[in-house]
Amino acid sequence: MRWEYHHYDPKTERLVEALCTLGNGRFATRAAAPECTADAVHYPATYLAGCHNRLASAVGARTVDNEDLVRLPDWTALRYRCLPDGAPPGDWLTPDHPTLRHYLVSLDLRAGTLTRRMLFHDADGRRLAVTHTRLVHMGDPHLAAQRTVFRAYGWTGRIDVAAVLDGDVTNLGVDRYRALAGNHLVGHRAGVEGEGTAWLACTTSDSRIRIGLAVRTSARPLATVDGSCTEATATQRSALPIGPARPAVVVKTAALFSSLDRPLADPAHSSTAYAGRAPDFPTLLASHRAAWQRIWSEGELQVPGETGRILRLHAFHVLQTLSPHTAELDVGVPARGLHGEAYRGHVFWDELFVLPYLTLHFPETARALLMYRHRRLPAARRAARRAGARGAMFPWQSGSSGEEETQLLHLNPRSGRWLPDHSHLQRHVNSAVAWNVWQYGLATGDTGFMHGPGAELLLNTAHFWATTATWDTGLGHYRIRGVVGPDEYHDAYPDAAGPGIDDNAYTNITAAWTLTRALELHAALPAARRAELRARLGLGADDLGGWEDVSRLMHVPFHRGVISQFHGYGDLAELDWDAYRSRYHDIRRLDRILEAEGDTPNRYQASKQADTLMLGHLFRPAELAGLFARLGYAFDDALWERTVAYYLRRTCHGSTLSSVVHGRVLALRQGPDAWRYCREALLGDVTDVQGGTTGEGIHLGAMAGTLDLVERGVVGLQPGTDGLHVDPVPLSEVPGSALSLCYLGHRGIRILFRPGRLGVRVPPSLLGPVPLILPGDRREQVPAGGERWFRLPGPGLGPSAAA
């Protein structure tokens, strides 16, 4: 299956570069044309997972520190021009050259390769066809390669080729960051070895990560190669004979090492030696395809039609950002992948949308991503103490250390003003960590993790919520004050002296859920482990009794018969939505529009993205009813339907995650607009609905969220303590699907979903049968090595029955 672009358009080139990025979970390279350097159209860049650096920048009279994912030297660069016999040399050719007549970019999703074909045709009838084939090796996480084939038509002569290893790079991939410092690499050294290998060494200025990048360049026909270096670049120049029946071929094989690698070695020496002994391109291509074939066998989600094609693209980007190689690294879930510099490469709560898919397909990778959080527990515990609480308070934006990396100021590009940023008050990231821990445990049965790092994560986050919540005698409930919810538009009350809002419903309810799960896990721990954790956290019997109280007496605000997004939300003014849509057309970033007008969304019932409705993304209606009942509130379908309808009218979807959530919530209710939001979620990056943001890096949470939307939403997969729940919600636009998953140690369980039917195939193993919970609470089993099909209930039908 291929993802293709048949025309060259400078206006969409950065979108193509992001959507056709290649990676292997350790590093990734954007799909920039190798002929081009960074400018307003093109942005060649390579990023290494976990490679961050901190720089200070002057913003007005203030100095601010930002930690960024570092743009590494460009290993792909290749310059060339025609030297026809008896004619003057031609220009250096690029996709922007006026002689370009044909252009095709083709991303092979199954093989993980990128092919770019170009045909140049000059005024004298001479034609040059150029085909680049690129891979970032999925089998060997240190290697990448690019083969370029030149074919001449109507002329003979030579091709003047300059293969460049370019270390003169700066972080410049996001326009609104242009005023901030971006020169992260220092101490450049470069060289060219006699065997055709160029190398480059450099270091990040503050984090002191040493980078070694080497490129072995080979050509056919053989030709004399001249090597030259500057401080930050290495160039290999040659003139290759070419004619109508004599193509010329250039192969660049790159090796990337850093001081983040284990075992520790000199990155420059390691990369040079590794590139020198790397296999030839055909061998690399074959082993790379084989590695992708294995990954697809475990991670594929098959859905027919255009929906399936987009889902395949989304899965491709998730898997090359967070591949099995990621399990060996100390990295989290970068919200914009390894595809660009937006969000500075930071880790947000997007793992809430990513880990459900990884847990069901690549549990080792999911476990490693949870360990990223566990290793940063000390920083989260220090943050909690600074906030006057106990336990752990994870940062809204995390990077290398686990300290809060949220910027103090952010730029509104519409007004040009730098504004205070209070998004660090989104404490609900704690519940996202806890939810992922719990879901991992349900899906894997990994007692070692759940009694070890998982228990520490869950109990620390619960301890934070218990010590953050305050008792309100008048209400007779606990409250959580001074936070920001998932909505993000409301960071203060109108005209308030300080930031934060009170009793965000999503924050409060997920905090109560976290406390409940922590109490369950605490009770299930072996006595010695339980005592150890209580001593480490300083927990006494009274503390655990307090957890129980908070988990049952957390305040949930309501107004006008719906769940309030936060205390006082119903008192805010109503926005004239029609007027703003008429005036601005696209009002997704309503916050920027209002600020530029001298106004603020804090005054209005207007949300950036799903907030209260996030509850319907994490929990099915029956689970929500149980949560509300534990808290002493009535909850029924009518209340939820009123709440969904209320916020649908007041949300402008300024985040790509919003459509994922609304699509899932409406699909569960089988609402008529469900597919509208599902489709928007599918197209969010493909069509760049936010107008230029995808070129700065794909939205990994939204991409993974569409996979989860099908698996947990449409197919209704939900790991439980009693078995694998399957409760489909038929959508005519997704008539069927097939996937392989892991559950309780079983690998390669095959799920086949068809209208009215469900097939489950379990590979042979010694693990025993797979328990299933089907609609109507029907309990079934599929033996190891067996396959069973079940009839599913439809409208007006009774419980499912074995077929």
Side-chain angles (χ1 to χ4, degrees):
M1 185 175 290
R2 297 179 182 274
W3 193 265
E4 294 186 337
Y5 296 90
H6 293 268
H7 304 284
Y8 174 70
D9 183 352
K11 295 190 296 294
T12 61
E13 188 65 6
R14 289 211 176 181
L15 172 67
V16 174
E17 291 176 357
L19 287 179
C20 295
T21 293
L22 297 179
N24 58 20
R26 179 174 174 269
F27 74 98
T29 296
R30 284 169 59 90
E35 299 86 352
C36 302
T37 56
D39 57 21
V41 175
H42 309 279
Y43 196 67
T46 291
Y47 304 101
L48 175 67
C51 185
H52 296 87
N53 189 62
R54 186 178 304 280
L55 291 176
S57 304
V59 178
R62 299 185 62 173
T63 299
V64 297
D65 288 329
N66 288 299
E67 186 182 68
D68 293 86
L69 182 67
V70 177
R71 179 185 175 205
L72 298 188
D74 180 17
W75 65 271
T76 68
L78 192 74
R79 321 286 183 236
Y80 53 86
R81 59 179 176 170
C82 299
L83 304 175
D85 290 339
D91 298 328
W92 296 102
L93 296 173
T94 72
D96 302 285
H97 198 272
T99 61
L100 180 70
R101 295 294 179 265
H102 174 74
Y103 183 81
L104 170 68
V105 174
S106 179
L107 177 63
D108 187 331
L109 298 173
R110 180 160 290 281
T113 58
L114 176 68
T115 302
R116 178 180 272 101
R117 302 180 190 277
M118 295 179 290
L119 179 66
F120 299 93
H121 193 168
D122 68 15
D124 296 316
R126 291 184 289 260
R127 290 176 293 162
L128 178 70
V130 182
T131 302
H132 302 293
T133 304
R134 183 183 299 172
L135 62 88
V136 174
H137 207 283
M138 186 54 82
D140 188 325
H142 293 283
L143 290 178
Q146 176 178 279
R147 179 180 63 194
T148 303
V149 180
F150 302 98
R151 289 184 171 87
Y153 300 95
W155 63 283
T156 58
R158 292 171 295 158
I159 287 286
D160 185 7
V161 177
V164 183
L165 178 54
D166 184 7
D168 188 14
V169 298
T170 302
N171 277 41
L172 293 171
V174 180
D175 284 343
R176 60 188 176 280
Y177 301 165
R178 289 295 179 99
L180 304 176
N183 293 307
H184 292 283
L185 299 177
V186 298
H188 293 79
R189 295 179 294 115
V192 177
E193 304 295 327
E195 297 78 17
T197 300
W199 59 270
L200 179 67
C202 53
T203 305
T204 56
S205 62
D206 180 71
S207 56
R208 309 308 297 171
I209 298 171
R210 290 177 290 130
I211 306 296
L213 188 56
V215 176
R216 186 188 73 202
T217 302
S218 58
R220 194 179 70 245
L222 296 175
T224 301
V225 177
D226 294 324
S228 62
C229 299
T230 66
E231 184 180 75
T233 63
T235 302
Q236 294 170 287
R237 190 89 174 256
S238 59
L240 308 179
I242 192 171
R246 191 181 188 185
V249 180
V250 175
V251 176
K252 299 183 74 176
T253 304
L256 173 61
F257 282 78
S258 80
S259 56
L260 298 175
D261 297 326
R262 296 293 179 269
L264 182 64
D266 177 58
H269 178 268
S270 297
S271 61
T272 303
Y274 214 76
R277 63 175 179 262
D280 61 17
F281 190 85
T283 303
L284 283 175
L285 182 60
S287 58
H288 171 69
R289 285 173 169 165
W292 263 110
Q293 183 177 357
R294 175 181 61 83
I295 286 177
W296 280 126
S297 71
E298 299 176 28
E300 191 161 29
L301 170 61
Q302 295 180 0
V303 174
E306 182 65 6
T307 296
R309 195 172 80 93
I310 297 174
L311 287 169
R312 172 69 72 87
L313 177 71
H314 289 181
F316 177 80
H317 284 298
V318 172
L319 293 174
Q320 64 176 3
T321 303
L322 304 168
S323 80
H325 296 301
T326 307
E328 303 169 8
L329 308 176
D330 179 32
V331 296
V333 177
R336 302 301 281 271
L338 298 174
H339 298 61
E341 294 156 20
Y343 300 168
R344 299 184 172 85
H346 290 168
V347 175
F348 294 69
W349 73 320
D350 297 66
E351 62 201 54
L352 187 67
F353 298 84
V354 176
L355 260 64
Y357 168 78
L358 291 176
T359 296
L360 286 176
H361 297 274
F362 300 92
E364 293 84 4
T365 303
R367 190 184 197 277
L369 295 169
L370 292 171
M371 288 302 298
Y372 166 85
R373 292 294 190 181
H374 181 260
R375 293 186 191 99
R376 285 150 185 81
L377 259 178
R381 288 174 59 83
R382 290 193 298 270
R385 289 196 297 272
R386 288 194 297 268
R390 296 164 67 189
M393 184 179 79
F394 284 98
W396 176 239
Q397 294 187 33
S398 180
S400 59
S401 67
E403 300 291 340
E404 180 63 76
E405 297 296 346
T406 302
Q407 60 270 29
L408 300 175
L409 302 171
H410 69 269
L411 175 69
N412 180 356
R414 186 176 286 272
S415 68
R417 287 189 284 266
W418 288 88
L419 309 167
D421 192 315
H422 301 303
S423 58
H424 66 278
L425 295 175
Q426 293 187 74
R427 309 297 189 214
H428 62 84
V429 64
N430 258 32
S431 294
V433 174
W435 192 84
N436 279 325
V437 167
W438 191 256
Q439 293 301 312
Y440 172 83
L442 291 176
T444 64
D446 185 350
T447 305
F449 176 82
M450 292 304 293
H451 288 186
E456 294 175 18
L457 286 166
L458 195 54
L459 269 63
N460 270 283
T461 52
H463 201 28
F464 171 76
W465 287 130
T467 56
T468 298
T470 57
W471 178 253
D472 188 310
T473 304
L475 278 177
H477 285 281
Y478 287 94
R479 309 181 67 184
I480 297 177
R481 298 175 178 269
V483 300
V484 171
D487 158 44
E488 294 187 329
Y489 275 1
H490 296 90
D491 63 359
Y493 286 102
D495 303 318
I501 49 92
D502 300 333
D503 299 315
N504 173 252
Y506 174 79
T507 300
N508 283 16
I509 292 169
T510 56
W513 176 90
T514 299
L515 285 159
T516 304
R517 300 288 83 80
L519 287 166
E520 287 182 23
L521 181 57
H522 174 268
L525 292 172
R529 177 60 171 159
R530 190 163 55 236
E532 178 191 17
L533 285 176
R534 287 173 63 167
R536 186 180 300 176
L537 271 69
L539 290 174
D542 291 343
D543 291 304
L544 293 176
W547 290 18
E548 181 76 25
D549 288 343
V550 178
S551 74
R552 293 183 179 277
L553 294 171
M554 187 71 78
H555 178 54
V556 179
F558 294 84
H559 72 276
R560 295 198 289 277
V562 302
I563 305 166
S564 293
Q565 183 169 304
F566 54 82
H567 174 75
Y569 186 86
D571 299 328
L572 301 179
E574 292 283 9
L575 185 77
D576 188 342
W577 292 91
D578 291 338
Y580 275 89
R581 287 192 178 99
S582 174
R583 195 183 317 164
Y584 293 100
H585 182 60
D586 184 353
I587 61 169
R588 292 175 185 274
R589 291 311 304 263
L590 183 65
D591 58 332
R592 293 175 176 174
I593 292 171
L594 290 171
E595 193 279 328
E597 291 183 347
D599 205 344
T600 170
N602 286 330
R603 295 181 54 232
Y604 301 101
Q605 295 184 46
S607 299
K608 174 184 178 182
Q609 59 186 314
D611 189 302
T612 305
L613 300 194
M614 271 297 303
L615 294 168
H617 178 74
L618 297 188
F619 310 109
R620 288 198 165 222
E623 294 175 278
L624 278 178
L627 280 170
F628 274 73
R630 181 180 176 87
L631 293 170
Y633 297 100
F635 181 94
D636 56 23
D637 289 344
L639 168 64
W640 185 240
E641 288 186 12
R642 289 194 305 271
T643 301
V644 170
Y646 188 87
Y647 290 106
L648 277 175
R649 297 193 298 269
R650 293 168 173 83
T651 304
C652 62
H653 308 291
S655 164
T656 55
L657 296 174
S658 191
S659 297
V660 173
V661 176
H662 285 83
R664 174 169 165 75
V665 168
L666 290 176
L668 289 174
R669 296 172 60 242
Q670 299 189 26
D673 290 332
W675 186 247
R676 167 193 161 193
Y677 290 102
C678 295
R679 185 174 184 275
E680 185 170 300
L682 286 167
L683 297 177
D685 272 328
V686 170
T687 61
D688 196 13
V689 296
Q690 293 194 333
T693 64
T694 301
E696 301 169 347
I698 54 99
H699 297 83
L700 195 69
M703 285 189 168
T706 62
L707 306 174
D708 182 51
L709 195 157
V710 173
E711 294 187 348
R712 280 200 313 129
V714 177
V715 183
L717 295 175
Q718 183 64 50
T721 55
D722 50 355
L724 181 62
H725 291 245
V726 187
D727 189 8
V729 179
L731 287 179
S732 59
E733 295 85 357
V734 185
S737 59
L739 61 139
S740 296
L741 58 84
C742 302
Y743 177 63
L744 297 183
H746 290 274
R747 304 187 78 91
I749 299 173
R750 190 71 172 165
I751 303 289
L752 302 167
F753 174 53
R754 302 288 182 266
R757 302 180 70 212
L758 177 77
V760 181
R761 182 187 310 147
V762 179
S765 77
L766 301 176
L767 295 173
V770 172
L772 299 176
I773 313 297
L774 300 179
D777 202 32
R778 182 181 181 89
R779 296 171 185 271
E780 299 284 354
Q781 289 187 339
V782 180
E787 178 177 344
R788 292 187 65 186
W789 283 83
F790 305 93
R791 233 177 358 101
L792 297 173
L797 298 179
S800 59

